[in-house]
Amino acid sequence: MHDQREWETLLHPGRTIGPLFPRLVAPTWALLLREEVARERLSVYAVTAGGGTIYLPGPHLGDLPRGLTLQAGRINLEGVDERGQRVQLGGLPAQLVDVYLYVSDPL
C-alpha cells in the first residue's frame, strides 16, 4: 500500500534521469545525494527488455535504491508493477534493464 506522500510525489512536477544502465545507478544516486537532493524526492523505476515496468517504492535509505541490487553483471529487482502487484525478479542480465530516477520538485 502506498502512502499519501508517495502519491503526491508521483503527481508533482520534476525531472527524469535515464534511461540508466544499471551500473550507473550507484554513482548517479551518490551524485544526487551530494547535491543535497532529499531522499524523499527520489523515486525509482525500471523497465525490462520485455516492456514491463517495476516501481521501487521507498524509503530509499541506502547507497542504492531499495529493491535494487547488482551482482556480477546481474540485477535483482523487488517492487510493484503497473497494477500494484508485488514483483520480484532476480538474476536478470543488466543489459536487459533500464533504470530511471525521478526527482520531484520540492513540495
Side-chain angles (χ1 to χ4, degrees), residues 10-30:
L10 291 174
L11 296 172
H12 200 72
R15 68 178 188 223
T16 300
I17 301 169
L20 295 172
F21 191 70
R23 66 181 166 80
L24 297 177
V25 173
T28 304
W29 189 260

Side-chain angles (χ1 to χ4, degrees), residues 1 12 27 39 41 45 50 62 67 70 76 81 83-84 91 102 106-107:
M1 188 72 166
H12 200 72
R39 290 178 187 269
R41 291 180 48 211
Y45 63 97
L70 299 167
N76 300 312
D81 65 12
R83 299 170 309 221
Y102 179 77
L107 295 175

Side-chain angles (χ1 to χ4, degrees), residues 2 10 44-46 53-57 78-83:
H2 300 281
L10 291 174
V44 184
Y45 63 97
T53 302
I54 301 165
Y55 300 90
L56 308 178
E78 185 175 345
V80 295
D81 65 12
E82 298 91 345
R83 299 170 309 221

